[in-house]
């Protein structure tokens, strides 16, 4: 399983396939964790929201014991904070959490872009280029909610593809967890129509640099995209991009 498929599986609330016989059966705590992450990643529980564990029991339709275990696991991954005797607070969209999340993604993106550029684009990047061009053409005719949704999906597809080029299991795990945190943060600031087209254009610049087999140009294009993304979040001069 590639880096790109790991976060996709997790975002859908599934555990990546074990790929071997004798894998342990899915426990109730695993199911509870998948349901809790589903609530977090689809925006049903938004960044900064507070909820009691009893309310989670009702929303997840599961007993208290596996819900408690799910909350502990989510807290260990930095997705929620446990407030003793009170309940659970979803991670907040603070200045530091936003900069940390996008800063980490940038580190992975830059290395992935350089590696892709050194070996040239493969079929997956060619497919992503066509997808971006198709969505961009549609948006220039008129931006719709569906175009915004497709643009958001294409955005993450490219970042996943960049991360997959790093080809490091430890980085894959870190990237997947950071992807989940960024997804929760992004639910607080949905992509607006005036950001869709610039984002697609910036992605195509990254792909063009990779296609030209120019690692330095690819690195610069990734950094430029990160700067524009953070400007949209309100950070005018991020010092790591």
């Amino acid at each position: 399983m590639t880096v790109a498929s790991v976060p996709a599986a997790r975002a859908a609330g599934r555990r990546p396939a074990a790929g071997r016989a004798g894998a342990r059966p899915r426990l109730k705590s695993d199911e509870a964790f998948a349901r809790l992450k589903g609530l977090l990643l689809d925006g049903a529980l938004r960044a900064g929201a507070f909820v009691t564990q009893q309310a989670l029991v009702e929303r997840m339709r599961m007993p208290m014991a596996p819900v408690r275990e799910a909350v502990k696991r989510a807290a260990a991954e930095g997705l929620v904070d446990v407030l003793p005797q009170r309940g659970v607070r979803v991670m907040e969209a603070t200045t530091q959490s936003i900069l940390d999340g996008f800063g980490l993604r940038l580190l992975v993106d830059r290395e992935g872009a350089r590696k892709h550029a050194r070996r040239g684009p493969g079929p997956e990047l060619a497919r992503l280029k066509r997808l971006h061009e198709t969505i961009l053409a549609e948006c220039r005719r008129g931006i719709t909610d569906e175009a915004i949704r497709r643009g958001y999906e294409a955005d993450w597809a490219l970042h996943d593809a960049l991360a997959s080029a790093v080809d490091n299991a430890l980085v894959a795990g870190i990237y997947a967890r950071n992807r989940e945190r960024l997804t929760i943060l992004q639910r607080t600031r949905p992509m607006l129509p005036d950001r869709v087209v610039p984002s697609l254009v910036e992605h195509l610049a990254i792909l063009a640099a990779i296609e030209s087999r120019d690692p330095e140009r690819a690195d610069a294009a990734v950094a430029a995209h990160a700067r524009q993304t953070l400007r949209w979040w309100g950070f005018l001069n991020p010092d790591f991009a």
Side-chain angles (χ1 to χ4, degrees):
M1 179 173 284
T2 66
V3 175
S5 60
V6 169
R10 290 182 175 174
R14 307 189 304 274
R15 293 179 66 85
R20 64 179 185 277
R24 69 179 178 83
R26 189 177 176 91
L27 303 176
K28 280 191 175 181
S29 58
D30 295 332
E31 177 62 28
F33 187 49
R35 292 189 189 185
L36 177 55
K37 284 216 292 188
L39 292 172
L40 293 167
L41 297 176
D42 69 11
L45 291 176
R46 296 174 69 84
F50 172 82
V51 62
T52 66
Q53 293 203 26
Q54 182 57 45
L56 286 177
V57 166
E58 295 168 4
R59 294 183 72 166
M60 294 164 59
R61 299 182 181 179
M62 296 199 74
M64 178 63 80
V67 169
R68 283 201 189 103
E69 288 303 311
V71 167
K72 289 179 184 177
R73 287 173 63 180
E77 294 192 7
L79 304 179
V80 302
D81 292 316
V82 179
L83 307 178
Q85 308 302 318
R86 294 177 58 195
V88 178
R89 184 176 59 213
V90 181
M91 66 174 293
E92 295 186 85
T94 64
T95 295
Q96 197 61 52
S97 66
I98 294 166
L99 291 175
D100 285 349
F102 283 105
L104 177 56
R105 188 174 77 169
L106 175 60
L107 290 174
V108 178
D109 282 352
R110 292 180 102 154
E111 179 63 17
R114 284 176 169 274
K115 286 195 170 185
H116 272 305
R118 282 194 287 268
R119 61 190 179 217
E124 176 61 13
L125 291 189
R127 184 192 69 80
L128 284 174
K129 179 182 178 182
R130 291 192 299 271
L131 176 62
H132 277 70
E133 289 172 339
T134 298
I135 299 171
L136 180 59
E138 292 174 0
C139 288
R140 283 176 168 162
R141 289 193 296 269
I143 296 179
T144 63
D145 289 343
E146 176 62 14
I148 293 174
R149 183 192 66 78
R150 293 183 65 206
Y152 179 81
E153 291 178 353
D155 182 276
W156 270 115
L158 178 60
H159 289 289
D160 289 347
L162 294 177
S164 71
V166 178
D167 196 24
N168 180 298
L170 294 177
V171 172
I174 293 168
Y175 174 85
R177 289 190 293 276
N178 190 55
R179 188 191 202 280
E180 292 172 347
R181 288 192 289 270
L182 283 176
T183 297
I184 293 171
L185 295 176
Q186 287 176 321
R187 295 297 184 189
T188 69
R189 192 176 176 83
M191 187 175 284
L192 299 176
D194 60 358
R195 178 59 187 147
V196 177
V197 167
S199 180
L200 291 167
V201 171
E202 291 155 21
H203 277 201
L204 286 169
I206 295 170
L207 291 167
I210 291 171
E211 192 172 12
S212 70
R213 294 176 177 263
D214 186 337
E216 294 299 326
R217 181 179 159 200
D219 179 276
V222 167
H225 173 58
R227 282 194 298 273
Q228 292 305 313
T229 297
L230 287 169
R231 285 178 68 87
W232 181 71
W233 277 85
F235 300 97
L236 300 183
N237 296 296
D239 59 7
F240 57 74

